[in-house]
């Protein structure tokens, strides 16, 4: 009986130790994940009602000594025609929900760096790196191409390098005056250019409040102008897009701000 009691005690102790180690490992993994954006001090957040919704709300936040603080009012945006799906960004892969792939018309969900800004004008009011687009620049959306998921100039890389791409960046010159890329910025989805994982994801101007996108996030010119003027490269800005339920599930672990549970802008 003494031996049995000792063994049970030892087993309980071992179980507690293993549970503690597992908890520590879990915390370490979470800490390692959030370290990818721990130094970021600007957040552009888009939340949508569910995976299949094509519109949502954009909010901005700055991070100070006491966490994230709202930096502007909520504004409506449109996203992919078929909703959202897990993309490839800064966060670890997630289970549950669709996964973004080339041509699925879903906007990538997760945490992403904000890259270069771009537009039709020679310059815009922004501190971010800015690319003044010309008629020969394309974003290559042909999976497997040498410049897949990159904006390139056909005059530099050659016409064959952009063959088959459906993303001329000067949409106004190629597509009957289209203004959607007149101002925008790159959302760094799939930065490693993994084949078929999705490409050419931007924040850009919308065609109308009811027109969804092929996978980007679209908004009014006034909202975009405010974002471009607000973003600072030294603050390492990030873009987060999540369905509301996933946001609630991940908010604490990902150290994101609390928001109202709604997908409709005031």
């Amino acid at each position: 009986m003494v031996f049995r009691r000792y063994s049970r005690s030892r087993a309980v102790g071992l179980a507690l130790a293993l549970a503690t180690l597992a908890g520590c490992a879990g915390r370490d993994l979470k800490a390692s994940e959030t370290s990818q954006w721990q130094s970021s001090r600007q957040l552009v957040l888009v939340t949508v009602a569910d995976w299949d919704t094509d519109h949502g709300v954009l909010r901005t936040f700055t991070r100070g000594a006491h966490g994230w603080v709202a930096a502007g009012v909520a504004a409506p945006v449109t996203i992919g025609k078929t909703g959202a799906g897990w993309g490839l960004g800064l966060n670890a892969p997630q289970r549950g929900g669709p996964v973004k792939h080339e041509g699925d018309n879903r906007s990538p969900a997760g945490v992403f760096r904000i890259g270069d800004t771009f537009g039709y004008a020679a310059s815009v009011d922004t501190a971010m790196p800015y690319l003044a687009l010309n008629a020969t620049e394309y974003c290559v959306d042909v999976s497997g191409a040498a410049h897949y998921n990159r904006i390139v100039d056909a005059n530099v890389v050659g016409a064959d390098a952009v063959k088959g791409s459906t993303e001329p960046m000067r949409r106004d010159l190629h597509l009957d005056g289209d203004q959607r890329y007149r101002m925008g910025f790159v959302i760094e989805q799939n930065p490693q250019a993994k084949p078929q994982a999705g490409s050419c994801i931007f924040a850009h101007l919308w065609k109308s409040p009811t027109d969804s996108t092929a996978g980007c996030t679209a908004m009014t010119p006034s909202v975009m102008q405010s974002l471009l003027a607000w973003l600072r490269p030294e603050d390492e800005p990030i873009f987060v897009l999540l369905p509301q339920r996933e946001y609630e599930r991940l908010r604490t672990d990902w150290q994101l701000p609390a928001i109202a549970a709604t997908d409709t802008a005031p």
Side-chain angles (χ1 to χ4, degrees):
M1 291 297 294
V2 172
F3 176 77
R4 186 178 299 167
R5 192 157 50 241
Y6 171 77
S7 299
R8 186 182 299 117
S9 174
R10 183 177 181 182
V12 170
L14 180 59
L16 288 172
L18 290 173
T20 300
L21 287 172
C24 290
R27 287 193 295 273
D28 288 345
L29 287 172
K30 292 172 184 175
S32 175
E33 181 178 25
T34 57
S35 70
Q36 297 293 312
W37 60 88
Q38 190 63 47
S39 58
S40 297
R41 297 185 296 277
Q42 289 184 313
L43 165 64
V44 177
L45 170 65
V46 172
T47 52
V48 295
D50 54 50
W51 287 112
D52 300 323
T53 301
D54 68 358
H55 62 281
V57 176
L58 180 147
R59 299 173 175 87
T60 54
F61 298 85
T62 56
R63 178 153 52 187
H66 302 291
W68 292 109
V69 178
V73 297
V77 293
T78 60
I79 67 163
K81 294 179 179 68
T82 54
W86 289 117
L88 297 177
L90 299 176
N91 57 281
Q94 298 292 308
R95 295 181 179 179
V99 175
K100 171 69 184 170
H101 61 81
E102 189 68 45
D104 63 358
N105 289 324
R106 289 187 180 273
S107 294
V111 183
F112 309 91
R113 293 277 180 218
I114 291 177
D116 290 354
T117 63
F118 58 80
Y120 298 167
S123 63
V124 297
D125 178 19
T126 186
M128 298 290 286
Y130 177 74
L131 174 63
L133 300 169
N134 62 51
T136 54
E137 276 165 323
Y138 288 76
C139 187
V140 180
D141 57 359
V142 181
S143 184
H147 300 287
Y148 179 54
N149 200 25
R150 300 289 184 269
I151 297 174
V152 295
D153 189 334
N155 283 341
V156 176
V157 300
D160 286 345
V162 301
K163 187 176 181 179
S165 173
T166 64
E167 285 286 351
M169 296 303 293
R170 282 300 300 261
R171 295 178 66 90
D172 58 331
L173 302 179
H174 291 269
L175 299 169
D176 299 322
D178 190 302
Q179 295 296 303
R180 278 174 280 189
Y181 289 0
R182 181 166 61 86
M183 291 183 289
F185 60 80
V186 174
I187 297 168
E188 293 189 356
Q189 138 74 8
N190 190 21
Q192 301 304 317
K194 178 182 177 181
Q196 296 297 332
S199 62
C200 306
I201 303 299
F202 310 129
H204 61 71
L205 307 185
W206 66 20
K207 184 177 181 180
S208 81
T210 57
D211 279 285
S212 50
T213 74
C216 296
T217 296
M219 63 202 71
T220 66
S222 61
V223 171
M224 179 60 73
Q225 285 176 324
S226 295
L227 285 177
L228 295 184
W230 174 71
L231 291 168
R232 295 286 184 273
E234 63 270 22
D235 288 335
E236 301 179 33
I238 53 174
F239 179 91
V240 175
L241 187 151
L242 289 170
Q244 189 68 39
R245 182 172 295 179
E246 295 298 324
Y247 191 83
E248 292 166 1
R249 178 177 70 86
L250 294 165
R251 185 182 69 80
T252 300
D253 288 346
W254 286 7
Q255 300 176 20
L256 299 171
I259 60 171
T262 178
D263 79 318
T264 303

